[in-house]
Amino acid sequence: MAGDGYLPLFETRRAKGIIFYRVFAVPVFVCIFLIWVYRLSHIPNERDHQNGRLTLWVWIGLFAAELWFGFYWILTQALRWKRVHRQTFRNRLSQRYESELPGVDIFVCTADPKIEPPTMVINTVLSVMAYDYPTDKLSVYLSDDAGSDLTFYALMEASHFCKHWIPYCKKFNVEPRSPAAYFIKVGEARGDDHKSQSKDLAAIKILIDGRDPNAVDNEGCALPTLVYLAREKRPQYFHNFKAGAMNALIRVSSKISNGQVTLNVDCDMYSNNSQAVRDALCFFMDEEKGHEVAFVQFPQNFDNVTKNELYSNSLRIYSEVEFRGMDGYGGPIYSGSGCFHRREILCGRKYDKETKIELKRENDSKREESLLELEETSKALASCTYEANTQWGKEIGLKYGCPVEDVMTGISIQCQGWKSVFCKPERDAFLGVSPTTLLQFLVQRKRWSEGDFQIMLSRHSPARYAHGKISLGLRLGYCCYCLWPPNCLATLFYSIVPSLYLLKGIPLFPMISSPWLIPFAYVMFAKYTCSLAEFMWSGGTALGWWNEQRLWLYLRTTSFLFAFIDAILKTLGFSESSFVVTEKVADEDVSQRYEKEIMEFGAASSMFTILSTLALLNLFCMIGAVKKVIVGDGYVKFYETMLLQILLCSALVLINWPLYQGLFLRKDNGKMPSSVTTKSLVLALSVCTCFTFLY
């Protein structure tokens, strides 16, 4: 119990600049409101000019788009209004509880040895085995959903190598503790060749038994428990993707080690900070506030991000701004990797302010089963029929029925009264591999956004399910992510219609001499200036910010569009959920172009067809507008009436420069496929021609 001399294990500080940001946000909202007023008070008359009826509907469409943009901007303020920073005190934790630290079970999941190479997986396993934590309280589990022989034998080799690696790391205080990442730093390298073979029956092998007195490293110190798991998978039983693998891990680990705290990491997300476990425990074991904390989420960072973040992969705004904002309202989302959970809560324990979960390690009872018997009895927990007629996937473990099972699980836990914490130590806790091609990036974000939107349409919607259960600010924060896909409609409208009307010479925004231009100009200037300042304050570059704006445009017009359609179809029962594993390896020439920050188009995709068509349409509209100025009304008159449309179309042309290069200027294998170029040219020219002559 906390006494008068109580010193907390962590502290929470309010982020700097919040008052300034709130003052800045007020006039932005006022101007957004004035834009809505302008649209409603200047509705065009059908008799004003030719095709007046069409212009009227376009005006209504613009109002709807601006209404959505304004509404969504208001949602995003919840992520910035109450940001907090957390600091842990690991020395206090050690002084009080070093002999009573809880058991920690670490889960590493892999699904495909071809796109998630076993060498990468094993490096992640070794990095978490080498945590600065009592080894008798540490257990590491590898879930191999492919049932790969190669992965199993690689893990078996790792069980021997760790006898040398772990004492080496601790003796010389090595960071990071992934062998590959460490040896790259010192100039060494190595590689494998391999094949895989899937299995149907569950396979469990305890490669290192931490309770065995003979399980020691080459210096005589105990080793952590190491377990291989390949759960049973059969065609007639739906296996629920990663969520199913995680639930199998929870059950099997409860039989073998039953650590009171669990950590799950993606197979490419190696430990970069050997103290991360102790950071997490500072939140769980704090005497005053720890009993409220269900999970501690660390940010996802990547070690292959280019200087100017070609594909906006650093996620820096999420980790430096948005997750801190959610933390101020009760905790961030559970984002799937790098997250520590209390086992009891993950297994369905409800919040009770009168009862505290005791994390101090109890004396382990002596195991009566032999190792072989333990492996055999644990197999039943990983069978494909175990969950039938149970609450697994509903009230127990990770939730089923959504590609982002982590987010849905997190919001369910928070709605039971628990809180979560966002922890970002000075040294990144985990480092992973981010997509190295544009298509990988778009497909990955399509899965994320589709899953989030499915949550919004499901019974776990933060707008309905969470009402009265979590704070309003946290609900709005969740809605920001769950409403990613609907942004596609407003963005597509704004990316197409104003440019076509520029080609026709019909203004859709206030003239330069009109006072109504001010709110439009202010919102544009304030929003992007704030975005740039936020990005650079978070450690980014100006070019990195520009790349991020490009990627947001690409996401909203492709990934979010497909996610929007697919989520609605799945909600209506016309299609089933799927899970696409992001490829973690790339060809050498692709990697070289990525390192040079040259955008990769190389494959034919409907997403690329949409992007190319939109880019070419805006280019043709800009060329047509320039021609109209030269041979028609003259520059001054055109400029006075069409300024905002000129700026919008010009920005869209400028931001698509890498795409024009891929379409027409590049000769390497990463250029846009000729089939995509041809289709896009035909589509863009057809739309511009039809609009010009028919309207």
Side-chain angles (χ1 to χ4, degrees), residues 121-141:
V121 177
I122 299 309
N123 274 287
T124 298
V125 169
L126 288 167
S127 72
V128 295
M129 289 182 72
Y131 268 133
D132 183 13
Y133 199 74
T135 53
D136 62 317
K137 300 175 182 179
L138 193 65
S139 301
V140 179
Y141 295 77

Side-chain angles (χ1 to χ4, degrees), residues 15 18 291 345 410 419 421 436 467 598 627:
I18 290 182
H291 66 282
I345 298 173
K419 294 182 179 180
V421 167
T436 56
H467 178 67
I598 299 174
K627 179 182 176 183

Side-chain angles (χ1 to χ4, degrees), residues 161-172:
F161 177 69
C162 72
K163 296 178 182 179
H164 306 275
W165 178 245
I166 293 176
Y168 175 78
C169 289
K170 294 184 176 180
K171 181 177 181 179
F172 296 102

Side-chain angles (χ1 to χ4, degrees), residues 69-88:
F69 287 145
F71 165 73
Y72 193 78
W73 179 86
I74 293 171
L75 286 182
T76 63
Q77 300 316 293
L79 301 173
R80 291 159 173 81
W81 211 249
K82 197 179 177 182
R83 291 178 290 115
V84 297
H85 291 259
R86 309 279 191 176
Q87 181 179 353
T88 60

